[in-house]
């Protein structure tokens, strides 16, 4: 009897302890117990990193945006959808996929020299093709293409060697999975489509399949982030997302998972709804930057360099290096990460316009990286007219886009006193400044160091 009582007391204590910890987990990962301190430790490298490379690479690089002479303004990796390509025809691209020019060392060098700290590559996109040596599906680069090599294994090893974090994109939507079919007017049932249906019993089967693929991806390549996508299916619920989140964290407790594992995301705006706790560690705005900072919220804006994620040979709507660098600064000034995409060719090359722009970003980051890495959002309550700001304890970095013609920079007050000011590139040469009731004015040199963005450091107390 006594033992039963003792047992009851213990289980009651345990129960309330568990509840307390569940309440403690800030994000919607109710199924995974973690204190704020543990979460901060797990997220720290990611928050410090601020800048990563997104890689959309797959069979869609073979048609490269054209099918039977048909082109589209739509994104290249959706060609199976917008060209209504039946599964059996799309599979034929595997026979033509032979990226002999792929060089893991060069890809990682390009990312590293751009100042990027992590790489997120498509292990499987909506077309269901595994870009790694999968034991779970024969529809993969080693078994189904003349290439017969595993570029993901090489890239993971090289990223480790060059000190970048290696991460995976994985699509929940799978146009190739046998139980999936399309039920939409004018669509071939086995073609691509925004939404699919699953035959009876197909969902359980498919979730089992996904878990097997995620297990081999995590145990074989040890990714630091799982970047899910394609979750907007009617057959995929928040509960499914919570369960998958728990499954993945159980496989690798310190892994980081985006909010597209569940159903919390609010479309392209990317942040999770707040009516309940949703699965995921960070929000994912897509092709956009939040208007205002989101202090204390982990988020990452992903963006193309032209208008497609997967390679399209005729898409030359490239963003300028200036736009890309100012996006990075804008995002960091709002407390977010920037995941910038490249879409390599079927030969295994990152397009030259991407390489050129990344080199230009790297040049700026080499001189100004301290004003991005490990910073937090701007301390100013309003948007600065002349540019943006990031901060660290005791430091504020002013990123000047518009250089004052009279050489006087007017900085509004934000509650801290400036003790010293200098250009980030010439710390030994202090800048004159005057304290005023509404802020501080700085005397700047006549010319900007860099017209894209010149960084002034304010030391504060
Ligand atoms: O459909 C995908 C698209 O192909 C691409 O992968 C982007 C990248 O974030 N996500 C989806 C669209 O929201």
């Amino acid at each position: 009897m006594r033992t039963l009582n003792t047992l009851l007391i213990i289980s009651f204590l345990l129960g309330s302890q568990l509840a307390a910890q569940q309440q403690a987990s800030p994000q919607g990962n109710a199924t995974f117990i973690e204190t704020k301190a543990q979460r901060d430790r797990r997220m720290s490298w990611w928050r410090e990193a601020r800048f990563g490379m997104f890689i959309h690479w797959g069979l869609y690089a073979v048609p490269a945006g054209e099918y039977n002479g048909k082109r589209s303004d739509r994104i290249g990796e959706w060609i199976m959808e917008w060209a209504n390509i039946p599964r059996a025809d799309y599979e034929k691209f595997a026979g033509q996929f032979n990226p002999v020019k792929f060089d893991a060392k060069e890809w990682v060098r390009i990312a590293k020299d751009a100042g990027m700290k992590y790489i997120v590559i498509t292990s499987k996109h909506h077309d269901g093709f595994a870009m790694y040596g999968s034991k779970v599906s024969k529809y993969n680069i080693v078994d189904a293409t003349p290439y017969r090599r595993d570029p993901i294994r090489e890239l993971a090893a090289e990223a480790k060697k060059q000190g970048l974090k290696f991460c995976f994109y994985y699509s929940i939507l799978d146009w190739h999975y046998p139980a999936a079919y399309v039920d939409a007017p004018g669509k071939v049932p086995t073609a691509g489509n925004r939404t699919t249906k699953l035959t009876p019993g197909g969902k359980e089967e498919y979730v089992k399949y996904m878990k097997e693929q995620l297990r081999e991806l995590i145990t074989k390549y040890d990714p630091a982030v799982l970047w899910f996508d394609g979750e907007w299916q009617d057959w995929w619920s928040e509960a499914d997302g919570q369960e998958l989140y728990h499954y993945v964290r159980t496989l690798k407790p310190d892994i980081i998972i985006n909010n597209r594992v569940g159903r919390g995301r609010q479309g392209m705006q990317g942040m999770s709804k707040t009516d309940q706790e949703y699965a995921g560690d960070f929000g994912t705005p897509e092709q956009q930057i939040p208007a205002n900072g989101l202090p204390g919220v982990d988020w990452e804006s992903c963006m193309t360099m032209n208008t497609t994620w997967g390679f399209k040979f005729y898409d030359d709507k490239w963003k300028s290096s200036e736009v890309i660098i100012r996006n990075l600064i804008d995002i960091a000034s709002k407390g977010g990460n920037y995941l910038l995409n490249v879409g390599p060719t079927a030969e295994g090359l990152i397009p030259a316009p991407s390489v050129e722009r990344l080199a230009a970003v790297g040049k700026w980051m080499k001189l100004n990286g301290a004003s991005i890495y490990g910073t937090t959002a701007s301390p100013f309550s309003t948007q600065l007219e002349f540019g943006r700001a990031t901060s660290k304890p005791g430091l504020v970095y002013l990123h000047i886009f518009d250089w004052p013609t009279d050489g006087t920079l007017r900085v509004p007050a934000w509650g801290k006193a400036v003790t010293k000011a200098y250009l980030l590139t010439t710390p030994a040469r202090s800048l004159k400044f005057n304290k005023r009731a509404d802020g501080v004015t700085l005397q700047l040199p006549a010319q900007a160091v860099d017209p894209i963005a010149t960084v002034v450091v304010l030391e504060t107390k």
Side-chain angles (χ1 to χ4, degrees):
M1 194 56 203
R2 218 165 61 71
T3 19
L4 179 59
N5 289 350
T6 338
L7 275 175
L8 280 174
I9 293 162
I10 292 169
S11 61
F12 169 73
L13 285 173
L14 262 181
S16 54
Q17 171 67 14
L18 269 174
Q21 281 179 345
Q22 269 176 350
Q23 264 125 36
S25 108
Q27 304 280 331
N29 316 317
T31 56
F32 209 89
I33 315 300
E34 177 179 62
T35 64
K36 183 172 181 323
Q38 289 165 328
R39 178 183 155 73
D40 289 344
R41 254 196 315 281
R42 181 169 61 93
M43 298 295 289
S44 60
W45 75 262
W46 187 87
R47 291 172 181 160
E48 164 85 22
R50 284 281 175 256
F51 191 30
M53 177 183 270
F54 212 173
I55 304 178
H56 277 72
W57 196 36
L59 292 184
Y60 36 82
V62 174
E66 187 172 78
Y67 187 69
N68 295 343
K70 184 171 176 232
R71 297 183 183 185
S72 167
D73 291 342
R74 302 276 310 285
I75 42 187
E77 70 283 4
W78 276 60
I79 193 166
M80 190 174 167
E81 185 270 336
W82 54 259
N84 206 8
I85 308 176
R87 198 174 289 164
D89 294 342
Y90 188 90
E91 287 173 352
K92 295 183 185 128
F93 292 136
Q96 302 163 49
F97 192 68
N98 194 10
V100 289
K101 295 188 179 162
F102 167 72
D103 176 350
K105 194 169 179 183
E106 177 62 2
W107 284 24
V108 176
R109 182 200 65 72
I110 291 168
K112 185 171 185 170
D113 286 359
M116 294 162 154
K117 298 294 187 184
Y118 59 105
I119 292 175
V120 181
I121 185 166
T122 49
S123 64
K124 185 194 82 165
H125 201 266
H126 307 335
D127 64 0
F129 185 76
M131 284 299 289
Y132 65 97
S134 171
K135 294 281 177 276
V136 177
S137 161
K138 283 271 173 263
Y139 194 49
N140 73 73
I141 191 166
V142 177
D143 299 317
T145 76
Y147 189 60
R148 310 207 71 67
R149 257 170 62 193
D150 183 345
I152 296 278
R153 187 174 54 72
E154 296 166 31
L155 209 54
E158 194 56 41
K160 201 171 198 150
K161 209 161 144 199
Q162 298 191 40
L164 273 69
K165 292 277 187 181
F166 184 74
C167 319
F168 280 130
Y169 167 109
Y170 185 89
S171 176
I172 292 168
L173 170 61
D174 188 324
W175 295 325
H176 189 266
Y177 191 72
Y181 66 96
V182 173
D183 174 12
K187 298 298 305 245
V188 176
T190 63
N193 194 56
R194 186 167 169 69
T195 56
T196 61
K197 293 184 175 167
L198 293 167
T199 52
K203 180 180 173 188
E204 294 67 29
E205 222 187 82
Y206 178 58
V207 171
K208 187 166 165 296
Y209 171 84
M210 272 202 294
K211 287 183 171 178
E212 286 167 4
Q213 284 201 314
L214 292 167
R215 176 183 290 281
E216 63 179 357
L217 283 168
I218 291 167
T219 51
K220 217 171 153 186
Y221 307 100
D222 192 30
V225 173
L226 236 283
W227 212 99
F228 285 99
D229 201 10
E231 82 285 10
W232 54 80
Q233 306 308 305
D234 302 341
W235 46 265
W236 188 252
S237 68
E238 174 57 23
D240 295 324
Q242 296 272 2
E243 207 272 327
L244 194 61
Y245 179 98
H246 187 259
Y247 171 78
V248 171
R249 293 257 341 249
T250 308
L251 285 173
K252 184 179 161 82
D254 65 352
I255 201 166
I256 296 173
I257 302 168
N258 72 347
N259 71 340
R260 297 188 187 194
V261 66
R263 297 302 305 268
R265 176 170 67 116
Q266 300 171 83
M268 294 307 210
Q269 178 262 21
M271 307 309 289
S272 293
K273 291 170 280 187
T274 53
D275 61 320
Q276 66 166 79
E277 291 193 13
Y278 288 95
D281 296 315
F282 63 92
T284 53
E286 177 170 325
Q287 303 284 48
Q288 59 183 270
I289 301 173
N292 303 303
L294 299 159
V297 175
D298 292 306
W299 59 277
E300 174 199 68
S301 180
C302 61
M303 219 178 268
T304 55
M305 291 174 82
N306 51 6
T307 65
T308 181
W309 302 92
F311 178 67
K312 268 174 47 170
F313 69 88
Y314 51 91
D315 184 336
D316 56 4
K317 299 186 190 67
W318 299 101
K319 293 176 176 68
S320 67
S321 310
E322 176 175 306
V323 166
I324 293 168
I325 292 168
R326 289 187 174 183
N327 280 349
L328 174 59
I329 296 167
D330 184 22
I331 290 167
S333 78
K334 293 166 177 170
N337 282 24
Y338 194 25
L339 188 65
L340 186 61
N341 185 74
V342 296
T345 67
E347 290 179 303
L349 296 173
I350 294 176
S354 298
V355 176
E356 288 152 22
R357 285 158 181 75
L358 289 172
V361 176
K363 212 159 129 265
W364 189 88
M365 285 295 265
K366 231 179 219 63
L367 296 173
N368 302 288
S371 69
I372 299 290
Y373 301 126
T375 61
T376 50
S378 165
F380 298 96
S381 55
T382 54
Q383 192 66 274
L384 296 170
E385 278 154 27
F386 57 75
R388 299 290 186 275
T390 54
S391 56
K392 283 177 184 168
L395 289 173
V396 170
Y397 299 95
L398 302 174
H399 299 262
I400 305 171
F401 296 169
D402 307 321
W403 200 254
T405 45
D406 63 358
T408 303
L409 190 75
R410 293 165 185 77
V411 183
W414 77 97
K416 290 279 176 69
V418 175
T419 55
K420 192 176 176 194
Y422 47 87
L423 294 172
L424 179 56
T425 46
T426 53
R429 236 178 293 148
S430 287
L431 297 171
K432 288 199 183 65
F433 60 92
N434 299 313
K435 294 179 186 158
R436 299 150 42 105
D438 60 355
V440 63
T441 57
L442 297 168
Q443 291 315 310
L444 299 180
Q447 291 298 320
V449 176
D450 187 321
I452 293 178
T454 294
V455 180
V456 167
V457 184
L458 303 180
E459 292 186 5
T460 64
K461 72 167 191 290

